[in-house]
């Protein structure tokens, strides 16, 4: 078991075989020594120990520094000699107590102890700790001064995108009642409401900014879990970052941890949770925002576990809006942000939440989903980051509408395209795409954003699906007529939740039917927006609201946010020019 350049650790039982016996497997250094494995040890742990022993070369110069008695006394002396805090090595002591009389030798003792902590305590104790404790410990391990480059760049990319969407959303009439209501309630002026220069209590500002961010159906998405993550996390890290005077690096760390927490817990209940009628952006957002707020408020691990428990008990959000196009959808991410922030403050004050809010007998998994996959919460935890799977939307529409829009744009670009010669349009799609976005006669602007036929009609006629196009053409008779001509056909051979589509078009004067296949919509990690496209989206959305100079300045600041000492430095450029 290697650790560092030269550090090795070997563990072996203290009992030899009786005379005349032999081992099936044996170390070359200690032939015919037995390995004492107790039932409490998992097969993976036992195998790892045995393989470590078998890998020791016979010529290895191993000196045994410590031998522990069968009851484990003496462990404290080992930790003391290693200058390793007892509490930090608690998982190692548990491991040693599982082996009756263990001796270990190493060339680099301290690094070897950490190898044991990584390979055993982190894996075996993961099964004993609550899921929220396990994920919290991992998120606390993110080093603000050593965030991997790919995570840092992705976090900034998502931050830029969400701020542009939120700034543009701030002037939408649909969410004005949320802003006005919380503005009227007033309170301690802690955190900025984007664009307006108004300050509200942090929890209230997060609700308003969350609604702004979700107002245009342009905020980031995760295709496996259906989450809009940024609309909850970004308002949280900005609102609490202001209160805590957090640095840009601390904000990035909290953002990454918030995304990862929300995504991992969502994966454990996807897709079943969504099929129960829940809106995952609202129900799962509480966990990510609680994690992000806890980090910025500098809660300890136990307090953060309580915050996650308190967040989970506030989880809410139903998908009923899809049937009538009502405004409730816009409220969900902001409410999740407010709930997570409230949970963090309560935990900081000493209020407690369940550590087993996820896997408990009456916890989130059992209550909120007919089936769950708890292992997904900890799968590759700390080595794989789901934030890298986020997609960025190029169109103002439900993500299930995007592949159909791409197909429609491809048809529009075809040399034979002439809308006057259109005879038939058929979209072959998945069942969820049809059920969620098949409405061809939406009655509200939000309903139009959730309608594949409406989105395709706008794309075919006008070639653009940005907020200005939705607003301008919502009551357009030509759009309405074309939308009703588009036939959506469910192919049961396509997985229920798939986004891929096949568009079939028959045009007068064209002998063969035209086919356009889209496997993944533009903006997915496998088919991403370029850096320039992401920047242009931001500037196109934010410049009409903030003014060109402030929008450009804000973009420049966010691209180098890790250099900012106090996030409050950003706030002046988040307010419109007078």
């Amino acid at each position: 078991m290697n650790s560092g350049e030269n550090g090795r650790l070997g563990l072996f039982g203290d009992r030899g075989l009786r005379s005349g016996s032999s081992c099936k497997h044996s170390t070359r250094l200690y032939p015919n020594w037995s390995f004492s494995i107790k039932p409490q040890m998992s097969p993976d742990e036992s195998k790892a120990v045995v393989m470590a022993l078998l890998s020791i070369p016979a010529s290895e110069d191993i000196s045994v520094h410590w031998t522990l008695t069968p009851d484990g006394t003496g462990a404290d002396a080992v930790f003391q000699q290693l200058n390793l805090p007892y509490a930090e090595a608690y998982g190692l002591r548990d491991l040693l107590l599982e082996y009756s009389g263990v001796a270990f030798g190493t060339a680099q003792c301290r690094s070897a102890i950490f190898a044991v902590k990584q390979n055993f305590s982190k894996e075996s104790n993961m099964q004993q700790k609550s899921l929220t404790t396990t994920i919290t410990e991992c998120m606390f391990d993110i080093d603000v001064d050593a965030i991997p480059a790919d995570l840092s760049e992705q976090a900034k990319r998502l931050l830029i995108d969400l701020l542009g969407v939120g700034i543009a959303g701030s002037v939408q009439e649909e969410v004005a009642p949320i802003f006005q209501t919380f503005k009227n309630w007033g309170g301690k002026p802690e955190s900025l409401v984007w664009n307006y220069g108004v300050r509200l209590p942090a929890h209230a500002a997060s609700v308003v900014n969350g609604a702004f961010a979700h107002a245009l159906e342009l905020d980031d998405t995760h295709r496996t879990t259906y989450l809009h993550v940024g609309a909850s996390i970004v308002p949280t890290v900005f609102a609490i970052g202001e209160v805590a005077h957090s640095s840009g690096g601390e904000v990035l760390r909290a953002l990454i941890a918030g995304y990862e927490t929300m995504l991992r817990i969502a994966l454990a209940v996807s897709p079943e949770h969504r099929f129960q009628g829940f809106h995952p952006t609202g129900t799962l957002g509480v966990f990510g925002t609680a994690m992000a707020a806890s980090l910025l408020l500098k809660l300890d691990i136990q307090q953060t576990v309580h915050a996650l428990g308190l967040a989970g008990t506030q989880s809410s959000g139903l998908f009923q809006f899809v049937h009538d196009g009502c405004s409730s959808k816009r409220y969900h991410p902001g409410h999740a942000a407010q709930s997570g922030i409230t949970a963090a403050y309560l935990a900081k004050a000493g209020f407690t939440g369940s550590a087993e809010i996820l896997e408990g007998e009456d916890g989130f998994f059992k209550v909120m989903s007919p089936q769950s996959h708890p292992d997904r919460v900890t799968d590759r935890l700390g080595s794989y980051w789901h934030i890298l799977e986020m997609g960025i939307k190029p169109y103002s529409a439900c993500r299930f509408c995007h592949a159909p829009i791409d197909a429609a744009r491809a048809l529009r670009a075809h040399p034979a395209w002439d809308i006057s010669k259109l005879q038939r349009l058929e979209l072959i799609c998945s069942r969820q795409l049809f059920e969620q976005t098949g409405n061809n006669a939406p009655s509200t602007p939000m309903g139009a954003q959730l309608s594949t036929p409406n989105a395709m009609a706008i794309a075919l006629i006008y070639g653009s699906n940005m907020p200005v196009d939705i607003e301008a053409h919502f009551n357009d008779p030509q759009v309405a007529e074309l939308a009703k001509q588009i036939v959506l056909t469910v192919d049961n051979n396509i997985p229920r939740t798939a986004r891929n589509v096949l568009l079939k078009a028959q045009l007068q004067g064209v002998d063969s039917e035209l086919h356009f296949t889209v496997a993944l919509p533009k903006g997915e990690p496998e088919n991403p927006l370029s850096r320039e496209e992401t920047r242009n989206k931001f500037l196109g959305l934010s410049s009409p609201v903030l003014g060109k100079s402030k929008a450009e300045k804000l973009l420049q600041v966010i691209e180098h946010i890790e250099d900012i000492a106090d996030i409050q430095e950003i706030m002046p450029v988040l307010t419109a020019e007078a």
Side-chain angles (χ1 to χ4, degrees), residues 15 24 29 48 57 122 143 172 209 235 242 295-296 328 373 413 462 531 550 557:
R15 295 174 293 176
K24 183 175 180 180
L29 184 60
K122 190 172 182 180
D143 185 348
Q172 297 299 302
N209 291 332
E242 278 200 82
L295 286 170
L296 293 174
S328 61
H373 317 274
Y462 298 104
R531 181 174 182 270
K550 278 199 171 182
V557 169

Side-chain angles (χ1 to χ4, degrees), residues 206-220:
S206 72
V207 178
V208 177
N209 291 332
F212 291 170
H214 202 46
L216 298 173
E217 287 299 319
L218 265 171
D219 44 322
D220 60 28

Side-chain angles (χ1 to χ4, degrees), residues 67-306:
T67 299
L68 305 183
T69 58
D71 65 357
T73 57
D76 301 280
V78 172
F79 303 144
Q80 194 173 43
Q81 291 183 50
L82 290 173
N83 193 28
L84 187 67
Y86 177 82
E88 190 171 297
Y90 185 78
L92 173 62
R93 186 176 188 276
D94 283 349
L95 174 67
L96 298 180
L97 289 175
E98 291 294 332
Y99 285 85
S100 179
V102 182
F104 51 111
T106 177
Q108 290 186 347
C109 302
R110 183 177 177 83
S111 60
I113 293 297
F114 281 115
V116 169
K117 183 183 174 189
Q118 289 285 329
N119 294 330
F120 289 99
S121 138
K122 190 172 182 180
E123 294 175 10
S124 63
N125 287 348
M126 191 178 286
Q127 301 171 5
Q128 301 171 16
K129 297 174 182 176
S130 71
L131 289 173
T132 53
T133 300
T134 299
I135 197 169
T136 297
E137 289 177 344
C138 180
M139 296 305 107
F140 270 61
D141 282 344
I142 300 173
D143 185 348
V144 69
D145 296 318
I147 297 173
D150 58 342
L151 292 184
S152 177
E153 289 305 308
Q154 176 74 335
K156 289 190 284 186
R157 182 169 170 260
L158 294 171
L159 184 54
I160 288 168
D161 182 67
L162 195 285
L163 285 175
V165 172
I167 290 165
S170 70
V171 296
Q172 297 299 302
E173 290 184 10
E174 187 180 18
V175 293
I178 294 179
F179 174 36
Q180 197 60 50
T181 296
F182 281 91
K183 180 182 177 184
N184 290 343
W185 284 343
K188 189 176 180 180
E190 295 178 315
S191 304
L192 184 73
V193 174
W194 301 340
N195 174 30
Y196 292 101
V198 174
R199 290 187 175 275
L200 296 174
H203 70 90
S206 72
V207 178
V208 177
N209 291 332
F212 291 170
H214 202 46
L216 298 173
E217 287 299 319
L218 265 171
D219 44 322
D220 60 28
T221 65
H222 185 257
R223 72 172 179 263
T224 306
T225 61
Y226 317 104
L227 291 177
H228 298 274
V229 185
S232 293
I233 303 301
V234 174
T236 298
V237 298
F238 266 59
I240 299 300
E242 278 200 82
V243 173
H245 295 278
S246 303
S247 69
E250 289 171 329
V251 166
L252 282 184
R253 178 193 184 220
L255 184 144
I256 292 167
Y259 267 77
E260 195 66 20
T261 300
M262 186 173 172
L263 286 165
R264 284 182 170 273
I265 296 173
L267 284 165
V269 292
S270 294
E272 296 85 2
H273 179 66
R274 164 64 187 87
F275 295 155
Q276 282 290 98
F278 290 107
H279 186 205
T281 296
T283 55
L284 278 305
V286 294
F287 296 109
T289 58
M291 177 64 74
S294 295
L295 286 170
L296 293 174
L297 291 172
K298 301 190 184 306
L299 273 62
D300 61 28
I301 288 176
Q302 189 58 53
Q303 288 173 320
T304 303
V305 170
H306 286 310

Side-chain angles (χ1 to χ4, degrees), residues 55-72:
S55 67
I56 300 175
S59 59
E60 185 68 72
D61 180 18
I62 296 288
S63 59
V64 179
H65 294 285
W66 304 281
T67 299
L68 305 183
T69 58
D71 65 357

Side-chain angles (χ1 to χ4, degrees), residues 499-538:
R499 311 298 174 98
N500 57 293
V501 298
L502 168 62
L503 178 61
K504 299 178 180 181
Q506 186 64 59
L507 301 179
Q508 183 181 358
V510 179
D511 293 336
S512 59
E513 190 175 62
L514 301 178
H515 286 188
F516 302 89
T517 300
V518 177
L520 282 174
K522 180 74 171 176
E524 288 298 302
E526 301 89 340
N527 184 24
L529 270 66
S530 67
R531 181 174 182 270
E532 195 63 25
E533 287 173 323
T534 303
R535 297 174 96 253
N536 288 341
K537 177 186 173 183
F538 170 85

Side-chain angles (χ1 to χ4, degrees), residues 314-560:
Q314 300 176 74
S315 174
S316 65
L318 300 176
F319 223 84
Q320 180 62 27
F321 57 77
V322 76
H323 300 287
D324 54 19
C326 68
S327 300
S328 61
K329 184 179 193 288
R330 312 303 193 198
Y331 179 57
H332 292 167
H335 179 262
Q338 182 185 40
S339 298
I341 288 171
T342 301
Y345 272 109
L346 287 173
K348 185 176 183 180
F351 206 57
T352 61
S354 175
E356 295 187 343
I357 192 66
L358 299 178
E359 70 274 29
E361 187 61 30
D362 292 304
F364 186 90
F365 291 164
K366 288 190 177 180
V367 173
M368 304 287 273
S369 181
Q371 186 177 357
S372 62
H373 317 274
D375 57 300
R376 294 179 184 173
V377 177
T378 55
D379 179 42
R380 296 174 292 169
L381 182 62
S383 62
Y384 180 83
W385 298 87
H386 292 283
I387 188 176
L388 300 175
E389 300 169 355
M390 294 299 299
I392 290 180
K393 286 184 175 184
Y395 314 125
S396 180
C398 171
R399 190 56 165 164
F400 273 100
C401 300
H402 282 227
I405 292 172
D406 286 335
R409 290 166 63 88
L411 170 58
R412 190 175 193 270
H414 193 278
W417 170 249
D418 184 337
I419 194 169
S420 67
K421 296 180 179 180
L422 179 63
Q423 293 181 322
R424 176 176 170 80
L425 270 181
E426 182 183 16
L427 185 77
I428 310 301
C429 62
S430 69
R431 178 159 299 280
Q432 189 173 0
L433 188 153
F434 174 78
E435 291 177 348
Q436 187 165 314
T437 67
N439 180 13
N440 64 5
S443 59
T444 68
M446 196 194 82
Q449 293 171 338
L450 305 181
S451 167
T452 284
N454 186 83
M456 291 178 67
I458 291 176
L460 286 167
I461 297 171
Y462 298 104
S464 176
N465 290 78
M466 292 304 282
V468 62
D469 305 298
I470 303 298
E471 184 177 351
H473 306 302
F474 169 59
N475 290 316
D476 188 323
Q478 190 178 11
V479 169
E481 181 181 353
L482 181 56
K484 291 179 180 178
Q485 295 180 39
I486 299 173
V487 177
L488 269 60
T489 301
V490 174
D491 182 350
N492 289 321
N493 292 316
I494 299 175
R496 178 179 178 179
T497 63
R499 311 298 174 98
N500 57 293
V501 298
L502 168 62
L503 178 61
K504 299 178 180 181
Q506 186 64 59
L507 301 179
Q508 183 181 358
V510 179
D511 293 336
S512 59
E513 190 175 62
L514 301 178
H515 286 188
F516 302 89
T517 300
V518 177
L520 282 174
K522 180 74 171 176
E524 288 298 302
E526 301 89 340
N527 184 24
L529 270 66
S530 67
R531 181 174 182 270
E532 195 63 25
E533 287 173 323
T534 303
R535 297 174 96 253
N536 288 341
K537 177 186 173 183
F538 170 85
L539 292 172
L541 290 170
S542 60
S543 294
V545 179
L546 297 181
K548 186 173 184 291
S549 61
K550 278 199 171 182
E552 290 175 345
K553 176 64 175 176
L554 178 59
L555 177 61
Q556 181 182 18
V557 169
I558 298 300
E559 286 181 332
H560 301 281

